[in-house]
């Protein structure tokens, strides 16, 4: 893989991991549930980002991967026991809906959607592979079933999302191919047999229960996930272009922002020393004062922001004067540096605005 693609994959992986793992541990404390979401999000996000890198660079992959990963975490953490009948169909349909919304005009038939659905199913299986490798199963059959289930569901998912998309402008295929229909029917039969084998009772009751479960897990929830994913990404896509334009401005302002941060932190460190020295030689100048530099750095940081610190407060006149001088220095540094930076980078910002305006007109 060429170096630019490797770097793109690394950025997408890092972004998806940061979003999904932090959400996962906030929602569920189970490591394997977080691993399921992170694996699915990284695999699909990276795959989509590398295939459509001209459609938005890493942001597209990070967005799609994060949405898929969060959905997988939610499904995995919200259920216990045999939950793959919900996780895999819903996650696969959502991924196809997001890709369909991104690629839009290029997907105009059952064949196109079938190809994209198969690619998403392969990526989803790859995303579940880390979970399978780190989990101990009683038999080898269970991990095999988990990994092949996305591929097994691909024909049915493609047929369903094609049926939901066939009235879209530009749609070309009047009817799906026989192979796709046979694959979808085979999926229903296999899944129906698997669900029916877990239900005990009269044959009529078993059939009705299996049909109801299939209607929910293979029709209602995946269809809703596909439509939601397509609608959300269609609405978000033009608005995310703002971030691509913002990156141009941030590249120009990166050095001034760093200079401001260095100066601001220097003022905080300097006055932290002043506060500690005053308390050392005039004990009682601050109420609730500690003895370590960490307390003074924290107090100086909150003072620079104009906020009261919870445990330390100035009491003596000298302490209040010192806090006032600190606030003046902090505000003055922000105002002076802002004015200097804006005057120095104004020509570069004007050139960026002119270039973006010319591109929008084209």
């Amino acid at each position: 893989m060429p170096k630019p693609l490797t770097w793109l994959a690394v950025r997408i992986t890092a972004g998806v991991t940061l979003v999904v793992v932090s959400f996962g541990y906030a929602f569920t404390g189970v490591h394997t549930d977080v691993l399921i979401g992170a694996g699915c999000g990284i695999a699909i996000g990276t795959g989509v980002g590398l295939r459509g890198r001209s459609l938005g660079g890493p942001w597209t992959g990070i967005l799609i991967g994060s949405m898929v990963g969060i959905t997988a975490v939610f499904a995995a953490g919200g259920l216990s026991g045999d939950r793959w009948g919900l996780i895999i169909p819903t996650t696969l349909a959502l991924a196809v809906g997001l890709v369909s919304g991104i690629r839009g005009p290029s997907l105009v038939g059952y064949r196109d959607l079938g190809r994209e659905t198969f690619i998403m199913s392969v990526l989803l299986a790859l995303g579940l592979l880390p979970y399978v490798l780190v989990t101990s199963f009683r038999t080898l059959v269970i991990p095999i079933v988990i990994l092949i289930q996305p591929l097994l569901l691909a024909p049915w998912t493609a047929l369903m999302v094609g049926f939901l998309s066939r009235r879209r402008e530009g749609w070309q295929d009047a009817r799906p191919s026989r192979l796709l229909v046979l694959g979808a029917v085979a999926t229903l039969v296999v899944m129906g047999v698997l669900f029916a084998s877990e239900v005990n009772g009269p044959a009529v009751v078993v059939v009705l229960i299996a049909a109801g479960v299939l209607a929910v897990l293979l029709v209602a929830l995946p269809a809703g996930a596909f439509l939601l994913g397509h609608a959300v990404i269609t609405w978000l896509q033009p608005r995310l272009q703002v971030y691509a334009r913002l990156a141009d401005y941030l590249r120009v302002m990166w050095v001034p922002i760093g200079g401001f941060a260095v100066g601001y932190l220097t003022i905080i460190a300097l006055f932290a020393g002043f506060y500690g020295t005053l308390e050392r030689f005039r004990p009682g100048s601050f109420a609730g004062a500690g003895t370590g530099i960490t307390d003074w750095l924290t107090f100086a940081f909150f003072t620079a922001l104009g906020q009261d610190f919870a445990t330390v407060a100035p009491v003596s006149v000298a302490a209040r004067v010192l806090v006032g001088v600190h606030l003046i220095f902090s505000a003055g540094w922000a105002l002076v540096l802002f004015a200097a930076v804006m005057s120095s980078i104004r020509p570069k910002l004007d050139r960026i605005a002119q270039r973006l305006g010319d591109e929008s007109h084209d």
Side-chain angles (χ1 to χ4, degrees):
M1 183 183 294
K3 185 176 181 179
L5 293 185
T6 303
W7 177 234
L8 178 61
V10 169
R11 286 186 289 171
I12 294 174
T13 299
V16 173
T17 301
L18 178 64
V19 174
V20 176
V21 170
S22 59
F23 173 86
Y25 281 113
F27 178 74
T28 175
V30 181
H31 300 307
T32 52
D33 293 343
V34 178
L35 182 61
I36 291 171
C40 295
I42 290 171
I44 291 180
T46 303
V48 171
L50 294 179
R51 293 182 65 232
R53 55 189 181 277
S54 61
L55 298 176
W59 295 109
T60 300
I62 292 173
L63 176 64
I64 290 180
S66 298
M67 295 178 68
V68 169
I70 288 174
T71 301
V73 168
F74 184 79
L79 296 174
S80 60
D82 188 8
R83 58 236 172 125
W84 300 106
L86 171 63
I87 296 175
I88 295 178
T90 305
T91 305
L92 179 59
L94 176 68
V96 176
L98 294 170
V99 172
S100 176
I102 287 289
R103 300 182 67 85
S106 64
L107 303 179
V108 293
Y110 286 100
R111 178 178 298 180
D112 298 332
L113 279 175
R115 181 184 64 252
E116 293 298 325
T117 304
F118 177 75
I119 293 173
M120 291 301 105
S121 66
V122 172
L123 293 174
L124 186 58
L126 292 176
L128 294 172
L129 185 60
Y131 166 81
V132 170
L133 293 177
V134 302
T135 305
S136 299
F137 295 96
R138 295 190 302 271
T139 63
L140 186 62
V141 176
I142 298 177
I144 293 176
V145 171
I146 292 174
L147 294 178
I148 67 172
Q149 192 172 343
L151 303 178
L152 179 65
L153 288 170
W156 167 256
T157 304
L159 182 65
M160 181 187 64
V161 299
F163 178 81
L164 295 174
S165 305
R166 74 189 191 284
R167 297 186 182 277
R168 192 176 62 197
E169 184 179 356
W171 190 261
Q172 296 178 357
D173 292 350
R175 60 182 62 184
S177 65
R178 294 181 179 178
L179 184 62
L180 184 62
V181 174
L182 290 176
V185 172
T187 299
L188 289 178
V189 172
V190 172
M191 298 297 290
V193 171
L194 291 176
F195 285 122
S197 63
E198 299 180 0
V199 180
N200 298 320
V204 176
V205 175
V206 171
V207 171
L208 290 177
I209 293 176
V213 171
L214 290 179
V216 174
L217 296 182
L218 296 185
V219 180
L221 292 178
F226 169 78
L227 294 174
L228 178 62
H230 186 278
V232 168
I233 204 68
T234 302
W235 185 86
L236 281 176
Q237 189 175 7
R239 291 158 180 83
L240 291 176
Q241 295 176 357
V242 175
Y243 292 99
R245 297 177 180 179
L246 181 62
D248 294 330
Y249 290 99
L250 289 178
R251 277 191 288 269
V252 173
M253 299 183 66
W254 179 248
V255 174
I257 290 174
F260 170 78
V262 169
Y264 208 69
L265 293 176
T266 300
I267 294 174
I268 290 174
L270 184 63
F271 275 88
F274 291 161
Y275 296 139
T277 301
L278 178 61
E279 179 64 23
R280 175 75 63 179
F281 288 97
R282 291 190 177 182
S285 297
F286 294 88
T291 58
I293 187 62
T294 303
D295 292 336
W296 297 117
L297 285 172
T298 306
F299 175 70
F301 178 79
F302 277 88
T303 301
L305 297 177
Q307 300 293 323
D308 293 332
F309 189 46
T311 58
V312 181
V315 176
S316 68
V317 174
R320 293 175 181 175
V321 170
L322 190 58
V323 168
V325 173
H326 186 185
L327 289 172
I328 293 173
F329 266 88
S330 299
W333 174 256
L335 292 175
V336 171
L337 189 66
F338 178 78
V341 167
M342 291 306 297
S343 63
S344 64
I345 67 174
R346 168 74 68 174
K348 296 180 181 179
L349 297 179
D350 291 339
R351 286 195 295 269
I352 293 175
Q354 183 177 0
R355 177 173 58 82
L356 293 176
D358 294 340
E359 291 178 356
S360 62
H361 288 310
D362 294 339

